[in-house]
Amino acid sequence: MSPRASLISENQLIRKISQISSQSSSQSDRLQLSIGDDAAAFRSRKGVLTLISTDALLEGIHFDLKYFSPEDLGWKALAVNLSDIAAMGGESLYFTTSIALPREKSAPFVQKLYRGMLQLANKAQITLIGGDTCASPGGVFLNVTIIGEVRPSEIVRRRGAQAGDLVFVTGELGGSAIGLELLRSHPELARASRRLTERHLRPVPRCHIGRFLAARQYASAMIDISDGLSTDLHHLCEQSQVGALIDAAKLPLSKVSQKATSLLSKALLDYGMNGGEDYELLFTASPKIKDKVPKKIQGVSIQEIGQITEEAGFCRVSLHGRVRRLFPSGFDHFAAL
Amino acid sequence: MSPRASLISENQLIRKISQISSQSSSQSDRLQLSIGDDAAAFRSRKGVLTLISTDALLEGIHFDLKYFSPEDLGWKALAVNLSDIAAMGGESLYFTTSIALPREKSAPFVQKLYRGMLQLANKAQITLIGGDTCASPGGVFLNVTIIGEVRPSEIVRRRGAQAGDLVFVTGELGGSAIGLELLRSHPELARASRRLTERHLRPVPRCHIGRFLAARQYASAMIDISDGLSTDLHHLCEQSQVGALIDAAKLPLSKVSQKATSLLSKALLDYGMNGGEDYELLFTASPKIKDKVPKKIQGVSIQEIGQITEEAGFCRVSLHGRVRRLFPSGFDHFAAL
């Protein structure tokens, strides 16, 4: 929004982005002011809540430009934010960006980054309404703030799970962490098969499923899996003051070729249980509506994986007939340094 | 919002911040969800527009921790965003933060940073509703997104100035750039007199004046001075498709001691005309309401400095009886690298 720092040809760039972006808008009647003033302005629908979330991606912490194309990076920065709104049961509407770039990064880099971002924005029918661009003395820094909305009766929080509720997860688990390991340790294989790395480079947020569950009030609590199942399950349980028992045999593990599997340092279950950045939805629902929850929505599976228990914050997993304590062992970007 | 990266003791920190923050809230009845879920949620007032703006501060580009205390930094990151909402004539309500920190920065650094930020948040009666914290491989990165509101009839844009309108500016100009130069080149003097550097380290956004002008519909166009008068005047003129003639003798230059003045590399007028980060408001108003615009609001002067002319984007300045072309020569954080 503020032009406090100007990128070479930033004005032209902003104009271009603004044009592409406004074409993708399905909200233009409510959007009063977009890019180009000190702030953007929009009108909320009567009776709804405005949702807001913000997430940053840093080069060297969240991504490496050795294997992230600028388009992938733009896509992912938006995807992780869309996922947050999906996890609330909300509908995403607008987003703003803050981008800091080393001087050697050229205007084409930024254009490609926005191309990837706007590709997802078009799919999700949301509009870029503002941003800030400046130089970075270090690596690339990318922050997205996303704005969505939800009816008060449909909002789904992390808090709300009750003992006896069933635990569900969408899609597949572990694919992102597997992709990341292959990109880091077996770049030739990773380059040869985009399918192995797509989950890490271009995660698909479960916007539609989040809305489906919220509109029907099926989910008693929900969170998106960004840190890994074991960690995000703890977040949900702590907020809901419950525990959980997960059946490891039911986890929808990411399918990986035998060749790739043989190269991995850990068992597939480990990636599924602790691998971060899958951006699937983890939710709970009363056993009464078990049969109402579809097995699949738009090709994405919804799998029951366990049950909520009484002891607050106490999570367990049953594996090969034995029940063990489950600890949060997911992603930690501080540890990754 | 997302706990994708966890700072050591981040949970406790967030709880602490959340407590301090909620005490400062005057909007708690409208704020349905704050820190601790995947997104924050609030209810908009009927008939108003929601405003949103985002601005980043990077170590090595926007600040140097040699002279910025963590408290100063927190204050300033919020101040520059409050200034954007003020420039729209809006009222700020909520904000979110994204903070990336090198590992060697300790928890006390973050607490001090939030202390400075929440000091200003309390004054401005706005509430921290979410954020993201992670490690940085380089320096400190701080992004703030601010949410405000304004009645559609009261919104003030950069577009709207008409030929014949008078040009006004609040407060004083140049003080921030002077403070920065002293901090960089004469640190002993700067340390000895906080008054000289306060404008750079802790700018005071003109929230009250922005609202005053908007509520009475006095301002035809408005922008905050972040890049410097010469540059931001061009932004306003380009958006309004007008030009301007500024009387240099009327500029409210920052008052500086003779000793400090003698150490500066440029004339005071240069800092006033091109120095960035003053966060004063630059606005235009019809000559018909000239007498209605107060000379001072809550101790901050409002000075008429020129007039809007017809030629789009063509700005001039009269100085010692001669009229010269005025070019945008303000701050450029890319050039500063």
Side-chain angles (χ1 to χ4, degrees), chain A residues 332 334, chain B residues 3 5-13 99 101-103 105-107 110 133-135:
Chain A
D332 182 340
F334 266 86
Chain B
S6 47
L7 191 68
I8 308 89
S9 78
E10 193 192 352
N11 271 352
Q12 294 97 306
L13 186 68
I99 301 186
L101 293 168
R103 283 189 104 182
K105 289 275 173 286
S106 58
V110 189
T133 313
C134 66

Side-chain angles (χ1 to χ4, degrees), chain A residues 87 157-170 173 220-248 251-252 272-285 303-318 323-331, chain B residues 3-4 11 36-38:
Chain A
R157 303 182 54 174
R158 294 181 181 179
R159 182 182 302 180
Q162 301 201 333
D165 281 358
L166 302 173
V167 180
F168 295 85
V169 71
T170 64
L173 297 176
S220 52
M222 186 149 60
I223 188 170
D224 68 324
I225 301 183
S226 51
D227 293 357
L229 175 64
S230 63
T231 301
D232 289 314
L233 178 66
H234 274 86
H235 289 138
L236 187 147
C237 286
E238 279 158 17
Q239 290 278 325
S240 294
Q241 297 191 282
V242 294
L245 174 61
I246 300 300
D247 183 350
L251 287 196
M273 196 63 97
N274 303 315
E277 305 199 87
D278 280 320
Y279 299 103
E280 297 293 353
L281 294 175
L282 175 71
F283 67 95
T284 57
Q303 172 75 41
E304 186 208 321
I305 59 166
Q307 195 152 26
I308 293 297
T309 57
E310 272 185 4
E311 310 94 311
F314 189 76
C315 296
R316 292 169 301 155
V317 58
S318 80
V323 173
R324 298 158 195 254
R325 179 82 189 264
L326 179 65
F327 291 97
S329 312
F331 237 55
Chain B
R4 291 176 55 257
N11 271 352
D37 220 301
D38 289 295

Side-chain angles (χ1 to χ4, degrees), chain A residues 111-122:
Chain A
Q111 278 182 285
K112 286 176 189 166
L113 190 152
Y114 273 104
R115 198 177 299 147
M117 196 177 265
L118 292 174
Q119 202 183 329
L120 179 55
N122 285 344

Side-chain angles (χ1 to χ4, degrees), chain B residues 101-235:
Chain B
L101 293 168
R103 283 189 104 182
E104 68 272 14
K105 289 275 173 286
S106 58
F109 180 92
V110 189
Q111 278 182 285
K112 285 176 190 167
L113 191 151
Y114 273 105
R115 197 178 299 148
M117 196 177 263
L118 292 173
Q119 201 183 330
L120 180 56
N122 285 344
K123 277 170 74 89
Q125 295 198 285
I126 68 169
T127 309
L128 177 65
I129 60 171
D132 188 20
T133 313
C134 66
S136 162
V140 174
F141 183 101
L142 194 45
N143 192 80
V144 171
T145 299
I146 194 156
I147 300 110
E149 66 178 18
V150 68
R151 289 203 181 85
S153 59
E154 295 179 0
I155 195 170
V156 190
R157 304 182 53 174
R158 294 181 181 179
R159 182 182 303 178
Q162 302 201 333
D165 281 359
L166 302 174
V167 180
F168 295 85
V169 72
T170 63
E172 296 180 349
L173 298 175
S176 178
I178 289 170
L180 177 60
E181 184 171 321
L182 293 174
L183 285 164
R184 282 180 173 164
S185 307
H186 305 282
E188 317 74 33
L189 179 67
R191 261 197 298 275
S193 172
R194 176 80 188 189
R195 210 184 54 77
L196 288 168
T197 60
E198 191 77 4
R199 286 301 301 268
H200 184 71
L201 300 173
R202 295 218 178 192
V204 177
R206 303 308 186 191
C207 306
H208 183 73
I209 300 182
R211 277 301 304 142
F212 178 95
L213 296 168
R216 287 156 188 79
Q217 305 188 333
Y218 286 169
S220 52
M222 185 149 62
I223 189 171
D224 68 323
I225 301 182
S226 50
D227 294 357
L229 175 65
S230 63
T231 300
D232 289 314
L233 178 67
H234 274 86
H235 289 138

Side-chain angles (χ1 to χ4, degrees), chain B residues 293-315:
Chain B
V293 177
K295 298 275 173 285
K296 220 169 223 190
I297 294 181
Q298 293 190 346
V300 179
S301 68
I302 300 180
Q303 172 73 42
E304 186 208 321
I305 60 166
Q307 195 152 25
I308 293 297
T309 58
E310 273 186 4
E311 310 96 310
F314 189 75
C315 296

Side-chain angles (χ1 to χ4, degrees), chain A residues 180-207:
Chain A
L180 177 61
E181 184 171 322
L182 293 173
L183 285 163
R184 282 180 172 163
S185 307
H186 305 282
E188 318 73 33
L189 178 68
R191 261 196 299 274
S193 172
R194 175 81 188 188
R195 209 185 54 76
L196 288 168
T197 60
E198 191 77 6
R199 287 300 302 267
H200 184 71
L201 300 173
R202 295 217 179 194
V204 177
R206 303 306 186 193
C207 305

Side-chain angles (χ1 to χ4, degrees), chain A residues 1-8 11 30 32-33 36-44 46-62 76 80 83-85 87-88 96-103 129-139 141-145 147 150 152 155-159 222-224 226-227 232 235 238-239 277 279 331-337, chain B residues 1-8 11 30 32-33 36-44 46-62 76 80 83-85 87-88 96-103 129-139 141-145 147 150 152 155-159 222-224 226-227 232 235 238-239 277 279 331-337:
Chain A
M1 219 62 60
S2 154
R4 292 176 55 259
S6 47
L7 191 69
I8 307 90
N11 271 351
R30 295 172 48 190
Q32 302 277 313
L33 262 185
D37 220 300
D38 290 294
F42 62 89
R43 191 162 35 82
S44 294
K46 213 177 135 184
V48 304
L49 296 172
T50 301
L51 295 169
I52 189 151
S53 183
T54 195
D55 254 315
L57 293 188
L58 272 86
E59 185 178 351
I61 302 289
H62 302 91
K76 184 158 181 174
V80 305
S83 182
D84 278 322
I85 298 297
M88 304 297 299
T96 68
T97 56
S98 277
I99 301 185
L101 294 167
R103 284 189 102 181
I129 58 170
D132 187 21
T133 313
C134 66
S136 162
F141 183 100
L142 193 46
N143 192 79
V144 171
T145 300
I147 300 110
V150 68
I155 194 168
V156 191
R157 303 182 54 174
R158 294 181 181 179
R159 182 182 302 180
M222 186 149 60
I223 188 170
D224 68 324
S226 51
D227 293 357
D232 289 314
H235 289 138
E238 279 158 17
Q239 290 278 325
E277 305 199 87
Y279 299 103
F331 237 55
D332 182 340
H333 284 117
F334 266 86
L337 265 180
Chain B
M1 221 62 61
S2 154
R4 291 176 55 257
S6 47
L7 191 68
I8 308 89
N11 271 352
R30 294 172 50 190
Q32 302 276 313
L33 263 187
D37 220 301
D38 289 295
F42 61 89
R43 191 161 36 80
S44 293
K46 212 177 135 185
V48 303
L49 296 172
T50 301
L51 296 169
I52 190 152
S53 182
T54 196
D55 255 314
L57 294 187
L58 273 85
E59 184 177 350
I61 302 291
H62 302 91
K76 185 159 181 174
V80 307
S83 182
D84 278 323
I85 299 296
M88 304 299 298
T96 68
T97 56
S98 276
I99 301 186
L101 293 168
R103 283 189 104 182
I129 60 171
D132 188 20
T133 313
C134 66
S136 162
F141 183 101
L142 194 45
N143 192 80
V144 171
T145 299
I147 300 110
V150 68
I155 195 170
V156 190
R157 304 182 53 174
R158 294 181 181 179
R159 182 182 303 178
M222 185 149 62
I223 189 171
D224 68 323
S226 50
D227 294 357
D232 289 314
H235 289 138
E238 279 158 17
Q239 290 277 326
E277 304 198 90
Y279 298 103
F331 237 54
D332 182 339
H333 285 116
F334 266 87
L337 266 181

